[in-house]
Amino acid sequence: MHTHSQTAQQAPRPVMMIPLRRCGSHALRLRLNMAPQFYSPYPLHIVDFMPLLPLYGDLRDDRQYFRLVTDLCGLQAVSMVKWPQMSFDPVEIFETLRHQPRSIHRIHWELLMRAGAQQGASVVMDKSLDNVHYADELMALLPTMLFINVVRDPRAQVASMNRAIIHDFDTHLNAETWLAAHRAADHVMQRYPERVLTIRYEDFVAQQRATLETLCHFLGIDFQPQMLDIGASQEARQIAQLSALWSSNCYPPIAANIDKFRQQLSADDINLIETLTGDYMDRYGYTRLASGDADLSPRRRAEAVARSDAARERAWRDLEQDNFRDYVLRRCRADYLAQLRARLSQHAVAPGRDNKPATLSELDPAAFEVSD
């Protein structure tokens, strides 16, 4: 394996973690962040922004591109976890980028690179794992990109996804998401094999030091012994307080949790996951427990969608009761995206009424009232 070196004069080396959330990615990000050469802020998850992108029209139009720059800066401003010491001026960023090839990914990485430079990092990582689906666009934009492919037993990962407000609330749907993400990761590995390091989350739990040393070598950064003491990470303690999804991030990983899915999933759930993901389980060394003959009919899938939609409404209500900070921060971001959609849709219907780019001050200020 090659060590990818980096000199101080160059722009930071871009890295992307793939392919799917709830794989232990925060645990890895928080530990790597203890290396001075490395920086990975809390991710923007622009996958949630992508459905809005067609509403911006032709990005060669300066007004439309400036609008997009402004709105992405706004997305960072309403993120659940703030990037330390960073605030972005949309005008300055637009002027920096206006004569370069235009894309949402270029804007996103400008924000990331600026945050990394502020931290003095030579390697900057995006933990927006879902961006695996845009890997070819990102490689065209950032040809030195490296990929950390984090694999987790799909039964354990789907069990975790089923309880996470960022995913669906049904095993069938989340197993489909798992499969699509790993197919996208396969494409990256086949097309850019020397750029991808694959690690299993279970190997990290069993051999923290060896896994982190392998990661650091791949990234061209120095392993830091303090990476093994996650309790010393202020960022880990901070995010652990914000959301139940991250409550374990300030503790060492627990080996006994590897098989917790056996208590969390029914036999039918396990069979469904193995039916969809069995080939990957075989490849990555996860022992099958079921016959792999689940019903994947359209009728069963439609039932899954209905179940998930009802459970999502309940989950938002429960979250509001159980953790008001988590609820308000997530709701704030969701409302911001909904507000953008409404404004952009209105502009597409009646463009004559709005012939100047929006600025942050013109947006509903309530969307920016985030309590840390």
Side-chain angles (χ1 to χ4, degrees):
M1 194 178 296
H2 300 293
T3 298
H4 303 280
S5 62
Q6 181 78 41
T7 65
Q9 288 73 37
Q10 294 172 299
R13 176 112 197 210
V15 179
M16 192 162 83
M17 192 176 276
I18 58 175
L20 185 63
R21 288 181 262 182
R22 310 309 297 162
C23 66
S25 54
H26 268 308
L28 293 167
R29 178 183 76 85
L30 291 166
R31 284 162 176 80
L32 290 170
N33 260 350
M34 292 181 166
Q37 302 137 295
F38 181 92
Y39 186 61
S40 179
Y42 179 81
L44 287 191
H45 295 307
I46 63 165
V47 67
D48 300 329
F49 200 101
M50 296 308 273
L52 303 181
L53 196 55
L55 297 173
Y56 287 86
D58 188 350
L59 297 183
R60 291 173 298 185
D61 180 327
D62 279 359
R63 283 182 299 192
Q64 298 303 93
Y65 198 51
F66 179 67
R67 187 186 298 270
L68 179 60
V69 168
T70 299
D71 293 345
L72 264 192
C73 291
L75 183 69
Q76 202 284 317
V78 297
S79 176
M80 281 190 73
V81 182
K82 300 297 169 280
W83 293 2
Q85 292 118 33
M86 292 306 297
S87 61
F88 297 104
D89 178 353
V91 175
E92 183 201 344
I93 289 171
F94 173 74
E95 290 301 331
T96 299
L97 301 181
R98 70 185 305 175
H99 300 302
Q100 299 177 22
R102 295 186 174 188
S103 78
I104 188 170
H105 301 294
R106 181 66 191 87
I107 303 166
H108 179 210
W109 271 94
E110 180 68 17
L111 304 186
L112 279 167
M113 291 296 197
R114 286 178 179 228
Q118 170 89 11
Q119 300 291 324
S122 57
V123 177
V124 173
M125 186 181 80
D126 178 24
K127 200 198 76 75
S128 305
L129 293 99
D130 316 78
N131 286 358
V132 66
H133 296 288
Y134 313 111
D136 287 338
E137 294 170 59
L138 286 160
M139 281 297 283
L141 179 68
L142 299 159
T144 62
M145 176 86 77
L146 298 174
F147 299 89
I148 300 172
N149 180 42
V150 184
V151 179
R152 185 182 183 187
D153 184 326
R155 296 162 299 190
Q157 192 162 0
V158 169
S160 178
M161 292 166 71
N162 286 349
R163 303 188 314 281
I165 203 142
I166 57 174
H167 287 293
D168 290 304
F169 288 87
D170 185 87
T171 292
H172 190 148
L173 304 181
N174 284 326
E176 284 183 349
T177 299
W178 193 100
L179 183 60
H182 281 270
R183 284 177 172 164
D186 275 354
H187 169 78
V188 177
M189 287 188 275
Q190 287 156 12
R191 189 146 183 208
Y192 317 104
E194 75 289 352
R195 295 300 181 81
V196 184
L197 174 68
T198 297
I199 60 169
R200 295 193 332 157
Y201 174 69
E202 293 78 10
D203 295 337
F204 163 68
V205 173
Q207 301 174 292
Q208 267 201 80
R209 183 176 188 124
T211 304
L212 290 167
E213 286 178 341
T214 299
L215 271 169
C216 290
H217 180 73
F218 177 72
L219 296 171
I221 63 175
D222 299 325
F223 170 76
Q224 306 287 329
Q226 63 263 34
M227 290 177 181
L228 301 174
D229 177 19
I230 195 60
S233 165
Q234 183 181 350
E235 185 183 10
R237 293 196 303 271
Q238 178 202 355
I239 75 164
Q241 294 172 352
L242 282 178
S243 173
L245 293 188
W246 308 325
S247 57
S248 65
N249 273 300
C250 58
Y251 303 110
I254 300 167
N257 288 344
I258 294 292
D259 287 334
K260 202 160 74 169
F261 70 84
R262 292 172 187 251
Q263 289 85 55
Q264 295 168 329
L265 298 173
S266 68
D268 285 344
D269 280 338
I270 289 172
N271 191 34
L272 187 86
I273 294 166
E274 294 188 12
T275 302
L276 280 164
T277 69
D279 289 346
Y280 284 93
M281 290 179 58
D282 294 345
R283 187 206 298 183
Y284 290 118
Y286 300 116
T287 305
R288 299 200 202 195
L289 301 173
S291 49
D293 56 0
D295 178 2
L296 301 176
S297 65
R299 179 182 63 82
R300 290 296 297 272
R301 191 183 188 284
E303 292 168 357
V305 171
R307 272 196 308 272
S308 179
D309 288 347
R312 176 176 287 104
E313 289 188 24
R314 285 197 303 274
W316 275 104
R317 287 198 299 270
D318 291 347
L319 184 65
E320 187 174 17
Q321 294 300 313
D322 298 341
N323 188 334
F324 68 90
R325 285 189 297 192
D326 193 358
Y327 174 82
V328 168
L329 291 169
R330 288 185 191 278
R331 192 75 257 172
C332 180
R333 183 178 186 273
D335 290 348
Y336 176 69
L337 289 167
Q339 178 196 341
L340 285 185
R341 179 182 286 282
R343 190 198 72 200
L344 291 162
S345 301
Q346 180 183 36
H347 181 254
V349 171
R353 289 191 300 180
D354 179 5
N355 61 1
K356 67 181 191 303
T359 64
L360 287 174
S361 62
E362 291 171 338
L363 296 176
D364 176 4
F368 292 90
E369 290 172 4
V370 184
S371 55
D372 280 325

